[in-house]
Amino acid sequence: GSLLRPHLLKDKAAVKEAWGLCVSLQAEKEGLDDRKDPFSSLFPGEDDDQRHGSQSPSVAAQQGGYEIPARLRTLHNLVIQYASQGRYEVAVPLCKQALEDLEKSSGHSHPDVATMLNILALVYRDQNKYKEATDLLNDALDIREQTLGGEHPAVAATLNNLAVLYGKRGKYTEAEPLCKRALEIREKVLGTNHPDVAKQLNNLALLCQNQGKFEEVEQYYQRALHIYQTRLGPDDPNVAKTKNNLANAYLKQGKYQQAEELYKEILSSHDLELATRRGGKGLACLPACLPLS
């Protein structure tokens, strides 16, 4: 459609491939389920490793209840495809052209424009272009607040993305209030015991930890852990990850006994899982401190 004009891109081979993929995805569009906004990214670990190896930023996605508009889904899939391959010379022009077309057809202050700004911002973040990404996200936040209201899940998603950016730049005091507001929105929209609330609590705990606010850190991790255990069960991977995060916080404070107890729980859980998989034979020796993010 009008959102994809590959003749405007410089890399002809890449453009041809992009257009072919677009046609294929467009043909399948009617069979796609509604997608949640995959760019509500988290702090999955100390360094907010949004890629998790070679995967795209969307892998660490937080589902905040906001759906990608139907007319942007194909383009969104393309951008993820090329960003995950590091082919930003294709992903960025696709986003920019889509923004230009959307603004011409719908005006700048439209929710779909905010979605494209959010997508482009995360592509820039993936390239460590934090200043450009921050400017785009602030623009997207203004649009979403004006058009969707201050308590919409899409607003929480943008607030969270801004908090991640500020956190990556070491601006923890600026990031914390954004993360707290995102938490408040998610609690109101999803309920106080929703797993996505636990994810936001993990983000907030990390921001507080980087400021040395360990009393708050413990409270946030403990609450997140309780949500995961009660809503997803004791064997859910998020339980072990949150225990690991809390144990690391204990270590930073010299609370070695509390940390040891959590690490033993994590090891016991992994041993049980291995025993189940292998029928109790050949259990692997696990490290004392698991590298969970």
Side-chain angles (χ1 to χ4, degrees):
S2 62
L3 294 180
L4 292 169
R5 289 192 279 175
H7 65 279
L8 294 173
L9 301 177
K10 295 180 180 180
D11 188 336
K12 293 182 179 179
V15 169
K16 184 177 180 181
E17 181 179 349
W19 187 248
L21 182 57
C22 176
V23 171
S24 175
L25 290 171
Q26 191 69 37
E28 298 174 1
K29 187 175 73 171
E30 294 300 326
L32 292 177
D33 294 330
D34 287 343
R35 309 288 182 175
K36 303 295 184 181
D37 185 354
F39 290 101
S40 316
S41 301
L42 312 173
F43 288 96
E46 289 286 334
D47 59 352
D48 181 26
D49 182 12
Q50 67 181 44
R51 277 190 168 277
H52 289 282
S54 61
Q55 295 173 333
S56 76
S58 64
V59 173
Q62 176 176 7
Q63 297 181 346
Y66 178 68
E67 297 175 356
I68 291 290
R71 65 171 170 168
L72 298 183
R73 251 174 243 149
T74 300
L75 176 63
H76 162 261
N77 290 338
L78 274 175
V79 171
I80 288 182
Q81 174 80 12
Y82 287 105
S84 68
Q85 298 172 357
R87 299 181 65 182
Y88 303 111
E89 76 284 357
V90 179
V92 172
L94 282 172
C95 287
K96 288 184 174 179
Q97 186 56 54
L99 270 174
E100 182 181 330
D101 289 349
L102 282 169
E103 289 179 335
K104 285 180 180 178
S105 64
S106 305
H108 182 71
S109 297
H110 190 280
D112 289 357
V113 172
T115 296
M116 280 311 309
L117 288 169
N118 202 57
I119 293 172
L120 180 56
L122 271 295
V123 174
Y124 278 144
R125 192 185 84 172
D126 202 34
Q127 297 176 271
N128 299 324
K129 295 182 178 180
Y130 301 136
K131 176 61 169 61
E132 295 91 331
T134 300
D135 291 343
L136 291 173
L137 284 176
N138 276 311
D139 193 5
L141 180 61
D142 289 341
I143 294 172
R144 285 178 164 176
E145 287 179 323
Q146 292 171 14
T147 59
L148 303 174
E151 296 181 345
H152 194 277
V155 172
T158 309
L159 287 166
N160 187 67
N161 288 340
L162 275 170
V164 169
L165 277 176
Y166 283 128
K168 288 179 75 69
R169 298 169 69 182
K171 297 184 176 182
Y172 306 119
T173 56
E174 292 93 332
E176 186 180 347
L178 298 173
C179 197
K180 283 185 175 179
R181 188 179 160 205
L183 174 63
E184 291 172 359
I185 294 172
R186 295 195 193 281
E187 287 178 326
K188 186 168 185 178
V189 174
L190 302 171
T192 56
N193 291 318
H194 193 279
D196 287 352
V197 170
K199 294 178 183 179
Q200 198 74 55
L201 286 165
N202 267 296
N203 288 9
L204 190 52
L206 179 59
L207 289 173
C208 289
Q209 182 166 302
N210 284 317
Q211 299 174 73
K213 300 179 179 180
F214 287 105
E215 183 176 347
E216 295 177 48
V217 170
E218 292 182 21
Q219 292 175 357
Y220 293 139
Y221 278 142
Q222 287 168 356
R223 186 182 161 201
L225 183 59
H226 175 73
I227 293 172
Y228 283 136
Q229 288 175 323
T230 56
R231 292 297 301 274
L232 303 180
D235 298 326
D236 186 83
N238 288 298
V239 171
K241 292 177 183 179
T242 305
K243 284 183 178 180
N244 187 76
N245 290 342
L246 180 56
N248 286 337
Y250 284 144
L251 284 178
K252 291 178 185 294
Q253 300 174 78
K255 296 182 177 180
Y256 302 116
Q257 183 176 351
Q258 292 96 317
E260 182 182 2
E261 291 174 359
L262 283 175
Y263 285 132
K264 285 181 178 179
E265 290 180 14
I266 298 171
L267 287 167
S268 176
S269 175
H270 277 262
D271 283 345
L272 180 61
E273 180 181 353
L274 287 171
T276 301
R277 289 180 180 179
R278 303 183 184 185
K281 298 179 180 179
L283 294 179
C285 182
L286 296 173
C289 182
L290 299 175
L292 298 173
S293 58

